[in-house]
Amino acid sequence: MTAIASAQPAIWRDVLLEYKQRKAVAVAAPPSAAGAPPAPFIPGARNWLPLGPSVVMDGQTVGNQPVAGRVSRLAVAPGGAVVYAASANGGVFRSADGGTTWRSMMDRFDLDPTNFATASLVCGAIALDLADSNRVYVGTGEGDTLQLFRSRVTSALPAYRGLGVIRTDDGGANWIVEPSTPDLAGEAFFALAVDPVNRENVVGATTVGLYRRVPQTGGQFQWVQVRPGVHASVVAASSGGTTRFFGAEWGQGASPSTVVHSDDGGATWAVAGTNFPTTDIGRIALAVQPDKPDRVYAFVTTSSGSLKAVYRLDSVTGAWKRVDAVPDVLPGGQGAYDLTIAVDPADANLIYLGGDRMDAPPWGGSIWRCNIRASGSAYKVSNSASIGTHAHADVHVICHTPGEPNELWCGCDGGVFLNRDPRGTGEFVSQNNGLACLCSNFIAQHPTDPNILFSGLQDNGTARTASGPIWTHVSGGDGGYCLINWNNPDQVLVYMNGVVYRSTSGGTSHAGWAPVWNFGWATMTQPIVGVPYNPSNPSSADLVAVGAGQLVYLSNNFASNWLSPITLPGGPSTGDAFALAFASAKRLFIGTTRGQVFRADRSGSAWQITRLDNAPAAPLGVSGLIADIAVDWADASGASVYVAFGGLGDRRRVWHFDGTRWDVRSGTGGSSLLDVEHNALAVDRIAPNNLYVGADVGVWHSPDGGINWNPLENGLPDAPVFDLQIHPTQRLLRAATHGRGVYEISLQ
């Protein structure tokens, strides 16, 4: 058996190139016999349509402000009218009216099959030329999720890498990919710093070092590694026509964290200052005033991500001085994920710190204003104030409008917020209208009204819509699976941070939710499934299954109480239940994080377990995360299923079991699936040879049960697809994208 394992970083670029080439072929070909539309967006044709959320009302902040998805970095032009938001999984958004409205700037890549590298919507850094707001650099791949990347999906929130650096000279209308050496494909960015006196000279802080943009022959540029190791921050300041860069290395293992500087444009680097701490140091965030190259602040965490201290350097050859009495900006200990600092542009003794959350409901953003004064041979916070509670938690960036002390921006897990009086009594105000970058994990559909949808969202709870792109926040935490009782839609279940909650009033608001399950938190989002829509047997709508480690809990009354759980055989080596699918009220299929597949058959009140992946006739040929299971409705006996695999390293992503043997259903040659994670499956019950799979790159359609595949792109952003569902009474295929919300396409 082949294990699906890690692959070389460059696979991300190779896969996206192949994806774009396949879409180009698909658009030139006629639709298939099954009626699948061609690949790129075609005006007047059948295309994917966005269902939102364009914004989520009543969000998780003090004051219940509207929220959007995770924003990793911001770039603000002088005057504050033009703002770019680099979202974690949804690409770059641009506002021309100070954040009042936004529009996506990276969807157009779908129209250019050759511009494959810019297909990555995962952003970790962004910077612009202050003299020309149309010149923007983007570092793809999200550095903030560095420590979550290896445990992604199962034990942590999903994390993705990028494809290097892209650049626009016209405000995002067109993008150019810039090469790098060593190749930055498969790596991630923390920060970019543009030389204030030379916009062509840029330094990036990445997961594999500091990179500098170096001119090549013919007027081209290449990003060259000038310092190895993880670097989590880089800033630039200029005076008298000379620029100084500061960079912060995030020590790994025996290598200590440290701050370095460069006075030759980033070509060479030396340690900055003396007496910087050397023990229990983790991530470092840096901040400078743009015209003060002799002064830099370092916001430092412990190796575990808690607050260590703030340090200040007043001369590059001098000694670092500790700033005492800093408030606890990281009560959640998430400094590896949330860490940012800004200096007031007019007052070197006024700084702002951003961290994870406030330590009280509703867990607003941790942003603190700190006044600094000399204290003996060091410094001290003379007074501080919490000013971030009206923003969302998990703050990734705070920055001023250039030269404007009274405009402080925040990018966080809830989108973009702006404080127009940070020095005084101002509060952060949501700037999220149209910032459609929500990370949708899973969806639930009303059985007869296709307008009513729920979606579990990363760090934005569960949201609901009854019509249109504006959704309402109805449940908190990190949203996961959600389920509507198709026989009684007033009953709704949602998953949040290890607990299942139930509403008996339609789940229309925060009120009325009650916890009904709390049996352990084995994986980040544990599956909740019900029996498929079957009006001839309405009582089956009350049967629910929830996976929790090696246990699967069942309820016959939609979670009013729970039966004795199904125990998967084999213990920890089996893996955790990660994918569930009912074929009927008497048959449940289970897939685990370690590639095992089981069938549970009910006999009376007991459930009999049969392992399937080791079928003697023909076992499952690969091993890895079973990301999803879908019943093959062409088999009236309910014995046949499809499974999809996560992980990397093997193109055999989808397999079929006919009750006796496993067969690869991943296509061959030019019709095969890509070697990326495949997260979701859907089988058309009306035309069951039509199989759909959602991957980290695109949605794919097979008209022949997995023998041949083609991308079903048609206007769908290149964000990872985590859930696919066909509406039970309408001919609609819905996709939950991790970074651009929910989309649908008609199957008529």
Side-chain angles (χ1 to χ4, degrees):
M1 180 179 293
T2 302
I4 293 181
S6 298
Q8 294 299 313
I11 193 172
W12 296 102
R13 175 175 293 139
D14 298 339
V15 161
L16 282 161
L17 172 59
E18 182 178 346
Y19 179 56
K20 292 296 185 181
Q21 292 171 337
R22 293 277 294 278
K23 287 199 299 183
V25 172
V27 71
S32 72
F41 182 94
I42 299 177
R46 206 160 31 131
N47 300 292
W48 287 95
L49 301 175
L51 300 180
S54 61
V55 69
V56 172
M57 309 301 292
D58 206 18
Q60 294 177 183
T61 74
V62 171
N64 301 113
Q65 296 209 67
V67 295
R70 188 162 85 245
V71 168
S72 54
R73 298 294 183 268
L74 295 167
V76 186
V82 175
V83 186
Y84 296 89
S87 69
N89 289 284
V92 174
F93 288 76
R94 185 180 192 269
S95 175
D97 52 16
T100 302
T101 59
W102 299 86
R103 65 186 181 95
S104 169
M105 303 308 299
M106 293 180 71
D107 293 346
R108 188 176 173 185
F109 295 124
D110 290 340
L111 300 180
D112 184 357
T114 64
N115 201 357
F116 63 91
T118 50
S120 175
L121 301 185
V122 183
C123 300
I126 190 167
L128 54 73
D129 175 12
L130 294 181
D132 179 4
S133 63
N134 288 320
R135 165 64 75 89
V136 182
Y137 299 93
V138 176
T140 64
E142 187 186 13
D144 285 344
T145 58
L146 172 65
Q147 291 192 351
L148 303 174
F149 184 73
R150 290 178 180 173
S151 57
R152 58 185 296 276
V153 181
T154 56
S155 301
L157 63 87
Y160 288 91
R161 297 302 181 92
L163 299 159
V165 182
I166 58 176
R167 186 191 90 236
T168 179
D169 297 326
D170 51 19
N174 297 280
W175 295 87
I176 300 166
V177 61
E178 298 198 325
S180 54
T181 180
D183 197 348
L184 281 166
E187 301 300 339
F189 275 78
F190 289 93
L192 287 164
V194 179
D195 189 332
V197 299
N198 178 11
R199 74 175 190 173
E200 307 295 352
N201 188 37
V202 191
V203 176
T206 81
T207 50
V208 287
L210 288 176
Y211 275 69
R212 183 191 183 201
R213 188 171 184 262
V214 177
Q216 306 292 302
T217 57
Q220 303 302 308
F221 288 84
Q222 183 177 52
W223 290 77
V224 176
Q225 185 191 64
V226 292
R227 200 168 192 273
V230 178
H231 285 71
S233 189
V234 63
V235 294
S238 182
S239 179
T242 301
T243 296
R244 173 171 289 154
F245 288 95
F246 290 96
E249 181 176 358
W250 185 354
Q252 308 290 306
S255 176
S257 298
T258 189
V259 179
V260 294
H261 75 97
S262 174
D263 292 338
D264 57 5
T268 61
W269 297 79
V271 172
T274 61
N275 295 339
F276 194 76
T278 57
T279 60
D280 194 24
I281 302 297
R283 182 176 173 180
I284 302 169
L286 302 175
V288 294
Q289 292 174 301
D291 59 346
K292 299 294 189 295
D294 287 327
R295 184 185 301 112
V296 60
Y297 282 93
F299 182 17
V300 184
T301 75
T302 66
S303 56
S304 63
S306 299
L307 172 68
K308 174 77 172 183
V310 173
Y311 296 87
R312 174 168 157 172
L313 183 65
D314 292 307
S315 169
V316 75
T317 59
W320 287 91
K321 297 179 180 180
R322 180 184 173 101
V323 179
D324 293 320
V326 173
D328 188 4
V329 190
L330 297 165
Q334 293 188 178
Y337 179 61
D338 314 299
L339 196 73
T340 180
I341 179 173
V343 186
D344 184 291
D347 185 351
N349 295 314
L350 179 59
I351 63 173
Y352 298 88
L353 305 175
D356 43 38
R357 57 172 171 77
M358 297 305 296
D359 206 14
W363 322 108
S366 180
I367 304 174
W368 291 76
R369 181 183 67 234
C370 299
N371 293 93
I372 309 297
R373 65 174 175 83
S375 178
S377 61
Y379 291 98
K380 181 180 181 180
V381 175
S382 59
N383 62 74
S384 62
S386 170
I387 63 171
T389 59
H390 285 66
H392 194 282
D394 294 318
V395 180
H396 298 285
V397 58
I398 49 175
C399 62
H400 289 87
T401 298
E404 179 49 74
N406 291 316
E407 286 190 4
L408 183 66
W409 296 81
C410 160
C412 59
D413 274 14
V416 176
F417 296 79
L418 173 62
N419 190 324
R420 295 189 182 276
D421 185 20
R423 291 176 155 194
T425 59
E427 299 284 359
F428 280 90
V429 176
S430 169
Q431 304 291 115
N432 288 315
N433 184 31
L435 192 60
C437 58
L438 273 297
C439 295
S440 180
N441 293 321
F442 302 97
I443 57 175
Q445 308 181 89
H446 190 285
T448 56
D449 185 347
N451 295 311
I452 297 177
L453 285 164
F454 289 81
S455 181
L457 307 168
Q458 184 267 319
D459 208 17
N460 283 289
T462 300
R464 176 186 186 272
T465 183
S467 180
I470 298 177
W471 295 44
T472 301
H473 184 269
V474 296
S475 179
D478 277 282
Y481 279 83
C482 35
L483 181 68
I484 299 174
N485 185 317
W486 50 259
N487 187 54
N488 180 5
D490 284 340
Q491 295 185 346
V492 184
L493 300 178
V494 299
Y495 180 86
M496 176 187 71
N497 299 4
V499 181
V500 177
Y501 293 82
R502 184 178 68 171
S503 170
T504 57
S505 56
T508 57
S509 69
H510 291 142
W513 295 95
V516 293
W517 183 89
N518 189 3
F519 303 138
W521 192 0
T523 55
M524 185 67 185
T525 54
Q526 297 178 174
I528 307 173
V529 298
V531 176
Y533 183 73
N534 183 10
S536 65
N537 185 11
S539 63
S540 66
D542 291 333
L543 180 58
V544 177
V546 178
Q550 284 91 52
L551 301 175
V552 177
Y553 290 86
L554 296 117
S555 172
N556 285 325
N557 49 23
F558 211 72
S560 290
N561 52 55
W562 298 87
L563 307 173
S564 296
I566 297 171
T567 302
L568 301 181
S573 64
T574 299
D576 297 323
F578 195 77
L580 302 176
F582 278 107
S584 68
K586 293 185 177 182
R587 175 163 288 177
L588 174 68
F589 291 94
I590 305 163
T592 77
T593 55
R594 295 196 175 183
Q596 295 190 17
V597 182
F598 299 89
R599 186 183 68 232
D601 293 302
R602 187 171 68 177
S603 176
S605 60
W607 290 80
Q608 304 296 323
I609 301 296
T610 303
R611 185 173 172 183
L612 304 179
D613 59 282
N614 60 353
L620 190 54
V622 297
S623 177
L625 169 70
I626 302 288
D628 202 9
I629 296 179
V631 175
D632 179 4
W633 299 113
D635 180 357
S637 72
S640 302
V641 291
Y642 296 93
V643 300
F645 278 92
L648 289 172
D650 198 308
R651 282 180 176 263
R652 296 174 295 170
R653 314 310 304 188
V654 174
W655 291 71
H656 180 262
F657 181 68
D658 65 1
T660 302
R661 60 182 295 122
W662 290 93
D663 293 302
V664 182
R665 294 295 179 89
S666 301
T668 57
S671 70
S672 67
L673 294 172
L674 302 179
D675 181 17
V676 296
E677 293 186 299
H678 284 62
N679 311 305
L681 285 166
V683 178
D684 190 339
R685 294 184 74 175
I686 294 176
N689 281 333
N690 285 273
L691 177 62
Y692 302 89
V693 63
D696 279 357
V697 184
V699 172
W700 298 73
H701 169 245
S702 171
D704 48 21
I707 304 302
N708 295 282
W709 293 90
N710 279 302
L712 186 65
E713 196 275 338
N714 289 71
L716 186 71
D718 289 342
V721 176
F722 274 19
D723 195 12
L724 279 180
Q725 294 186 32
I726 298 174
H727 192 275
T729 58
Q730 308 292 322
R731 300 290 291 149
L732 298 168
L733 176 65
R734 265 77 182 266
T737 72
H738 196 74
R740 291 300 302 275
V742 181
Y743 281 72
E744 75 175 14
I745 191 169
S746 173
L747 298 181
Q748 294 287 359

